[in-house]
């Protein structure tokens, strides 16, 4: 899943090795960030990216409908891609459990990507570690079931977004430690100094041992448009950061 998110952030669709994309989804990915850090926008961009790969529909789970489609997420809002994204809105942890437990009964082609936004809201209903472990197990089992239905050599990816707090309590720390154990690939969204009228952050992607850690500068304009550029220290030439920023605009 880290490779799908990397293609969104690089805007070029290239794999780490420079080879064409494969059907392997990679390890589950945990997307972490503070409130308003752009987690939903990146999840949606990953959904659009996967929907264009021709490997199957995308299943997007969230507690409530999106108020608007995120802008400037690296891929045009192609109606054909949008049709391949299936949104489901489990309103409670119990309903999420029920949906995941019955996923094997759903008709139609198996999803190639399973996304869950707002995991912290479901965990808050019952903060006991046992409930968190059960939910993680259900997510992993559901993705494994979809992978089996997709057939040999094809996997269903899993990407989950979790909101982090500046002052986490012991329960939050325990949940994060549990999640990091089963989600080896992680992407942290860290606020950084924005420009006038902009909201900026640093995106740090660790693919869980399958490639180098990579960083980007992500900016959200006042109208919600997202712009992405390589982090200046990784651009090779100190002057290339500015050039890639303008080139990365949608």
């Amino acid at each position: 899943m880290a490779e799908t998110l990397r293609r969104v952030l690089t805007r070029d669709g290239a794999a780490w090795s420079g080879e064409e994309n494969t059907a392997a989804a990679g390890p589950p990915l945990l997307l972490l960030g503070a409130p308003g850090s752009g987690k939903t926008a990146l999840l949606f961009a990953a959904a659009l990216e996967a929907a264009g790969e021709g490997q199957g529909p995308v299943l997007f789970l969230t507690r409530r409908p999106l108020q608007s489609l995120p802008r400037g997420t690296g891929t045009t809002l192609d109606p054909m891609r949008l049709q391949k994204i299936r949104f489901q809105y489990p309103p409670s942890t119990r309903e999420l459990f029920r949906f995941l437990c019955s996923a094997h009964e759903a008709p139609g082609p198996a999803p190639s990507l399973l996304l869950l936004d707002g995991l912290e809201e479901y965990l808050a209903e019952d903060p006991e570690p046992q409930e968190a472990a059960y939910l993680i197990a259900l997510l992993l089992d559901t993705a494994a079931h979809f992978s089996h239905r997709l057939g040999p050599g094809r996997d269903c990816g899993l990407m989950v977004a979790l909101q982090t707090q500046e002052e986490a309590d012991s329960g939050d720390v325990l949940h994060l430690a549990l999640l990091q154990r089963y989600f080896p690939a992680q992407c942290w969204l860290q606020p950084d100094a924005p420009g006038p009228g902009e909201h900026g952050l640093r995106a740090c992607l660790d693919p869980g041992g399958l490639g180098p850690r990579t960083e980007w500068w992500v900016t959200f304009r006042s109208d919600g448009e997202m712009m992405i550029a390589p982090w200046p220290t990784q651009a090779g030439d100190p002057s290339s950061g500015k050039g890639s920023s303008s080139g990365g605009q949608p």
Side-chain angles (χ1 to χ4, degrees), residues 35-125:
S37 59
K39 299 182 297 297
T40 299
L42 283 178
L43 277 185
F44 183 71
L48 286 173
E49 180 72 25
E53 293 175 354
Q55 296 183 22
V58 175
L59 183 56
F60 196 119
L61 305 179
T62 181
R63 199 178 181 103
R64 60 188 63 85
L66 302 181
Q67 297 301 312
S68 60
L69 296 180
R71 296 187 56 196
T73 47
T75 305
T76 338
L77 293 180
D78 183 352
M80 297 300 294
R81 295 194 183 205
L82 290 173
Q83 289 177 10
K84 294 184 65 177
I85 303 176
R86 302 174 183 172
F87 288 95
Q88 294 289 336
Y89 310 104
S92 65
T93 305
R94 182 176 180 179
E95 289 301 318
L96 178 59
F97 285 166
R98 182 177 301 174
F99 178 84
L100 293 174
C101 288
S102 61
H104 66 283
E105 302 174 353
S112 62
L113 176 59
L114 172 59
L115 301 164
L116 175 63
D117 193 18
L119 174 61
E120 73 286 343
E121 295 188 42
Y122 293 107
L123 295 178
E125 291 186 23

Side-chain angles (χ1 to χ4, degrees), residues 25-40:
L29 184 139
L30 183 62
L31 182 61
L32 301 133
S37 59
K39 299 182 297 297
T40 299

Side-chain angles (χ1 to χ4, degrees), residues 173-199:
V173 173
L174 186 59
H175 286 159
L176 181 57
L178 183 63
L179 284 161
Q180 289 176 324
R181 178 180 178 183
Y182 293 100
F183 288 76
Q186 295 163 30
C187 182
W188 290 82
L189 303 177
Q190 304 167 335
D192 212 296
E198 297 178 339
H199 165 60

Side-chain angles (χ1 to χ4, degrees), residues 37 67 70 129 154 159 173 222 231 236:
S37 59
Q67 297 301 312
R154 301 179 64 190
M159 192 180 301
V173 173
S222 56
W231 191 254

